[in-house]
Amino acid sequence: METFIIIDGNSLINRAFYALPPLNGKDGTPTQAVYGFMTMLIKLLDYKPSFMAVAFDLKAPTFRHKEYDLYKANRKGMPDELAVQLPVLKALLTTMGIAVVEKEGFEADDIIGTMASKYLGPTFIVTGDRDSFQLIDDTTKVLFTKKGITEVLELDRSSLSELYSLTPDKVTLYKALAGDSSDNIPGVSGIGDKTATSLAAKYASLDALYADIDNIAGKLKDKLSLGKESAYLSLRLATIDREVDGLPLAENCPLVFPFGENVRTMFDDLGFKSLIRRSELFSSQAASVQLSECETVTLAQFEAVVAKAKDKVALIIDGTGVRLSLDGEGFFLPIKASLLDEGADELEAMEAIRPLAQGEVMKAVFDAKTLKKRLARYDVALNNYFDVELSQYLINSSVDHGSITAVMSEYGLSGGTANGLMKLYEIMLGKLSEFSLDELYYKTELPLVEVLFDMERTGFKVDRAALEETSARYGAQIELLTKEIYVFAGHSFNINSPKQLASVLFEEQRIPYPKKSKNYSTSAEILEPLKCFPIVDKVLSYRFLTKLRSTYLEGLKPMLDSDNVVHTEFKQMLTLTGRLSSIEPNLQNIPMRTEEGRRLRRLFVPREGNVLISADYSQIELRLMAHLSGDEKMVNTYRSGGDIHASTAAEINDVPLDMVTPDMRRAAKTVNFGIIYGMSDFGLSESLGISPRQASRYIDMYFKRFSGVKRYLDEAIRFAKEHGYVETIFNRRRYIPELKSSSYTQRMFGERVAMNSPLQGSAADIIKRAMVAVYDRLRGKKSKLILQIHDELIIDAAEDEADEVRDLLVECMESAASLIVPLKVEVGMGKSWYDCK
């Protein structure tokens, strides 16, 4: 039968908005979310659907909100820059002839559930919402968006059970017990993922579980008994309605493809340059260069082709096989999905590629670090390569550099990706030279691939015993706080339920609600000023410890390997400023503002016989401001080793340096960092707790006394408006289309980007250069670079190398760039990450 694809519109456009850099249409309207949505939709055409629909939520409350007024109450409103793109997307889908389906009183999930259940043919649901897993059946699969808009996980009954230990009919039972923080579904207090999964596996339904409650022992029984009402509420909230009336059938939502010329015109108006070049999308538009596809070859033939490679090749390896471009010809070696398939098994394919991968022939590849990790599974190294994706990221990170076909389209290429990759390699060589990016690419970004690959493999050791002890201690504290809160309240209740908590605090306890509204909120903004009430203070402590325990203790356990080492993944090409990101887990996000949060760093330890060494740049962005602006006062302060915040305090308060008070210095520190981030007088007044007039006086005095900074910021904005981008001291570009937006808010955002990106980007370039230098100096040593957190590097150092490693770390970091003021590094050493500070 014909295939039906139904898309969760809100899920996909939200994901696209946060995954992609800003993009604007010809009229200045933001369009990156629409572009990302379209990129994903076009990839779905590979499934050859005959029918397609996109379901959206409406603002009107649904039956879930009417039953539980705190349903999704913790969700932030849609940013203005995204909200303006929603009608644009719906108009574009309509022009494309794709059905837009929405119904007041129901969520997109309910629309999807109803339409999917009524179509008997193969159905794919595209969403990032795990609620959809309950809809999987013999004909329905979920295409679950995992990262950004490019990685999708195809889930059927088997893979759902394998990955999540759940069957579709148990998804709602699991949510009834564990809840769902993203939707504010409360679940049963004290029951987490592991317990909920175990109970869902054991019982056929929630009714069956509670019918057997007397056979459940200990604290679990108490939790379930206390949370019975919440469990049934959560079950109703989590269950998708599959009987929504008045919706079209899948057969009434035909997909007409290729699209018409009017769609290409809309793509052009929206600024989708890479899409309008793809001739296959439209009924009348020719691509500039059509490249030949790969010829499928046997293992023996492929080995013969590899043996011929002497100069350069383009190499692509994915789950389907190996693609190779050599002398204008493309070759494809399939990897068997089963014993009955033609081709080679994966081990044979990797052995066939070994001499080429490890040899001196230049390999044009796409996303080298991912390829290196794939090859490493078979003990195959990748040497002498050129990363096309990485080069495009430097040339223009606003382009969808994560897709070979998208980058090909940007340069007017279509067809075979292996031959396209070779063409892109040749184009990139010229572009890097044209934009003076050769040094940044070849001396920093390309060698950093090897550094990050090694850091990810090495990982960071965690003290498992301390982790368990800390989690247990927090659990005991949470249990004690729970009892104390119940004593203050006079009865037990679900502390995690905002509705129940609000009733206890503002109705039963009669704590004065600080706003006129009767729609009580229990957000931190509301409760923090009420800490003078003991029950509120206990609730805030309860929340804080619960968050720490669930996110940073229990959440870390499944990520540890057999040696209790956690291996984060570093994203080199994610941010527009060039900063590295850390994911799964995000080790750059360990809390630092509270002592309890900082103590989590005690769990991260060196390997046996080693010590941790941490080095952190001191005020690198302010030093870069001194360098870029040449401001005489800033430069002299840093060259003389003075205190920049005290110096600033003296200037803006017009007092001698020895008259600066600690409060003056703290305020000046906020001013210093606020200025480089383009903070307004209102923002500064909020940060310092002063009047906007006083904040404005501070800013005016700052610019009067540090006139070089004012000139630099004005010039940065002027340059960006004239050229459309700004650059770091190493020529990294960031394009700023927002400066031409018709929206005042967008233009002001663009000006802040123009002021700050050269500072943030230069700081990112400098620490990357330091990482490469440190890695090179550590070759042959037992010590390993294991983590980067923005301006900080951490080494797991052998004790007998510690003094030497500490000195080389400082030397490499302080000499990573030549500025007119010195770079300074603060270094620490200890038996845990916490001890390094």
Side-chain angles (χ1 to χ4, degrees), residues 423-626:
K423 288 286 186 185
L424 289 174
Y425 165 60
E426 295 164 357
I427 291 170
M428 295 298 147
L429 292 175
K431 289 289 183 182
L432 289 173
S433 179
E434 178 186 345
F435 295 155
S436 302
L437 289 167
D438 290 294
E439 181 177 355
L440 182 61
Y441 178 77
Y442 289 108
K443 297 291 182 66
T444 302
E445 294 287 1
L446 191 61
L448 188 67
V449 172
E450 182 67 33
V451 179
L452 298 177
F453 173 70
D454 189 71
M455 290 169 66
E456 290 179 3
R457 283 199 305 178
T458 303
F460 206 151
K461 183 74 178 279
V462 172
D463 185 336
R464 182 65 182 248
L467 175 65
E468 297 286 1
E469 185 277 327
T470 304
S471 183
R473 177 161 49 84
Y474 281 7
Q477 288 179 248
I478 291 167
E479 191 171 339
L480 177 60
L481 284 166
T482 301
K483 292 177 179 177
E484 291 175 338
I485 291 168
Y486 289 167
V487 169
F488 280 116
H491 61 87
S492 61
F493 66 99
N494 184 356
I495 303 170
N496 295 316
S497 165
K499 184 176 183 179
Q500 292 184 38
L501 179 61
S503 177
V504 168
L505 297 181
F506 304 122
E507 294 174 358
E508 296 176 19
Q509 297 291 309
R510 297 187 178 181
I511 293 174
Y513 191 68
K515 294 187 177 181
K516 292 183 179 180
S517 172
K518 289 298 182 183
N519 294 321
Y520 296 136
S521 167
T522 57
S523 66
E525 177 189 4
I526 294 295
L527 297 189
E528 281 290 344
L530 302 175
K531 287 176 68 174
C532 54
F533 294 92
I535 188 173
V536 176
D537 188 47
K538 297 293 183 184
V539 166
L540 290 171
S541 297
Y542 169 91
R543 281 184 176 177
F544 177 69
L545 289 178
T546 302
K547 172 69 174 177
L548 283 186
R549 186 170 186 261
S550 62
T551 303
Y552 301 108
L553 297 172
E554 294 301 310
L556 192 59
K557 289 180 184 179
M559 298 183 180
L560 300 180
D561 67 13
S562 57
D563 295 320
N564 293 322
V565 173
V566 62
H567 301 268
T568 188
E569 178 183 351
F570 294 101
K571 304 298 285 186
Q572 188 176 357
M573 295 174 277
L574 185 62
T575 68
L576 294 176
T577 60
R579 280 183 176 268
L580 293 176
S581 296
S582 163
I583 63 169
E584 295 182 354
N586 181 1
L587 294 184
Q588 296 180 335
N589 203 33
I590 302 294
M592 279 296 291
R593 293 187 178 181
T594 65
E595 182 59 27
E596 282 290 349
R598 286 192 292 274
R599 284 176 183 166
L600 294 180
R601 295 192 170 202
R602 287 179 174 163
L603 305 177
F604 294 88
V605 296
R607 288 161 172 81
E608 188 174 351
N610 284 12
V611 64
L612 293 180
I613 302 175
S614 166
D616 197 351
Y617 279 116
S618 171
Q619 302 172 353
I620 189 169
E621 289 186 13
L622 287 174
R623 291 175 187 273
L624 280 163
M625 176 62 84

Side-chain angles (χ1 to χ4, degrees), residues 61-68 105-107 110 236 239 241:
T62 68
F63 65 91
R64 295 180 181 88
H65 295 92
K66 292 174 182 176
E67 179 167 10
Y68 182 54
F106 296 89
E107 295 183 72
D110 304 310
R236 294 192 296 274
T239 301
D241 187 344

Side-chain angles (χ1 to χ4, degrees), residues 43-75:
K43 287 186 68 171
L44 295 172
L45 299 178
D46 292 342
Y47 289 86
K48 302 192 182 326
S50 298
F51 312 109
M52 182 177 283
V54 182
F56 288 95
D57 296 328
L58 290 175
K59 286 187 176 180
T62 68
F63 65 91
R64 295 180 181 88
H65 295 92
K66 292 174 182 176
E67 179 167 10
Y68 182 54
D69 59 8
L70 292 172
Y71 178 67
K72 293 189 176 181
N74 56 348
R75 293 215 177 166

Side-chain angles (χ1 to χ4, degrees), residues 387-436:
D387 191 336
V388 168
E389 182 186 4
L390 185 59
S391 60
Q392 178 59 45
Y393 170 67
L394 290 187
I395 291 162
N396 187 350
S397 58
S398 299
V399 172
D400 180 12
H401 51 77
S403 160
I404 295 178
T405 54
V407 179
M408 286 171 60
S409 296
E410 180 70 14
Y411 296 98
L413 307 173
S414 63
T417 53
N419 288 328
L421 187 58
M422 181 57 77
K423 288 286 186 185
L424 289 174
Y425 165 60
E426 295 164 357
I427 291 170
M428 295 298 147
L429 292 175
K431 289 289 183 182
L432 289 173
S433 179
E434 178 186 345
F435 295 155
S436 302

Side-chain angles (χ1 to χ4, degrees), residues 52-122:
M52 182 177 283
V54 182
F56 288 95
D57 296 328
L58 290 175
K59 286 187 176 180
T62 68
F63 65 91
R64 295 180 181 88
H65 295 92
K66 292 174 182 176
E67 179 167 10
Y68 182 54
D69 59 8
L70 292 172
Y71 178 67
K72 293 189 176 181
N74 56 348
R75 293 215 177 166
K76 295 180 180 179
M78 186 178 287
D80 292 343
E81 294 82 2
L82 174 56
V84 298
Q85 298 185 58
L86 204 55
V88 176
L89 173 61
K90 292 178 182 178
L92 177 55
L93 289 169
T94 301
T95 301
M96 298 168 78
I98 296 173
V100 173
V101 189
E102 47 197 7
K103 186 175 178 67
E104 189 167 306
F106 296 89
E107 295 183 72
D109 284 348
D110 304 310
I111 294 168
I112 291 169
T114 299
M115 294 183 71
S117 64
K118 293 187 183 304
Y119 184 64
L120 301 180

Side-chain angles (χ1 to χ4, degrees), residues 6 112-113 115-125 132-133 135-142 155-157 168:
I6 183 162
I112 291 169
M115 294 183 71
S117 64
K118 293 187 183 304
Y119 184 64
L120 301 180
T123 303
F124 290 93
I125 296 168
S132 64
F133 295 172
L135 302 175
I136 293 172
D137 59 29
D138 292 337
T139 61
T140 302
K141 298 180 180 179
V142 169
L155 292 170
D156 56 14
R157 288 183 187 272

